Amino acid sequence: MLGNANLARTAAAHHNPAVQFLENIEAAAIRAGELCTQMLTYAGQGRFAIEETDLNGLIIDMTRLLELAVSNRAVLKYQLTDDLPAAAIDSSQIRQALMSMVINASEALGDTS
């Protein structure tokens, strides 16, 4: 899936609006792979992937996904710190924790519909 999305993005013209969708597919495929690795780790079959990571960048990369996950009543506000040093983390673990916290907070607010 990732390879085909990458080939399609490469073949598409840069001004083509589909390029953004193909980039989203690639990012989702990478995250799905990370989730599979995470599940294997919990099952004792995998390892944590600890790397120096820019936490601000990780959060910014998740912005669209987080916006889609919240209810109509929730508003996401970011207060990122400038010059934040890189952290030695497993990015997929942090993404999962952040997503869980945002979804839980959103569900606590309820939905307007």
Side-chain angles (χ1 to χ4, degrees):
M1 181 171 73
L2 183 59
N4 285 330
N6 184 275
L7 288 172
R9 183 178 52 82
T10 302
H14 291 314
H15 63 278
N16 188 328
V19 169
Q20 180 64 43
F21 296 119
L22 293 167
E23 289 172 351
N24 291 344
I25 291 169
E26 287 179 279
I30 290 168
R31 296 224 169 51
E34 291 172 349
L35 182 58
C36 290
T37 300
Q38 185 179 14
M39 290 173 21
L40 286 171
T41 300
Y42 285 132
Q45 303 295 317
R47 298 180 179 205
F48 292 107
I50 306 298
E51 297 177 333
E52 293 289 319
T53 305
D54 171 24
L55 291 172
N56 286 339
L58 184 141
I59 293 167
I60 291 167
D61 288 344
M62 290 187 67
T63 298
R64 181 72 178 133
L65 185 59
L66 292 171
E67 289 171 350
L68 293 173
V70 298
S71 73
N72 295 336
R73 295 182 66 190
V75 176
L76 293 172
K77 293 185 180 183
Y78 300 90
Q79 294 179 344
L80 305 177
T81 302
D82 292 335
D83 302 324
L84 186 66
I89 60 168
D90 182 328
S91 297
S92 65
Q93 295 285 320
I94 298 300
R95 281 189 192 97
Q96 184 64 35
L98 181 59
M99 180 63 78
S100 293
M101 287 188 294
V102 168
I103 289 171
N104 288 344
S106 174
E107 288 176 352
L109 293 173
D111 200 355
T112 58
S113 47

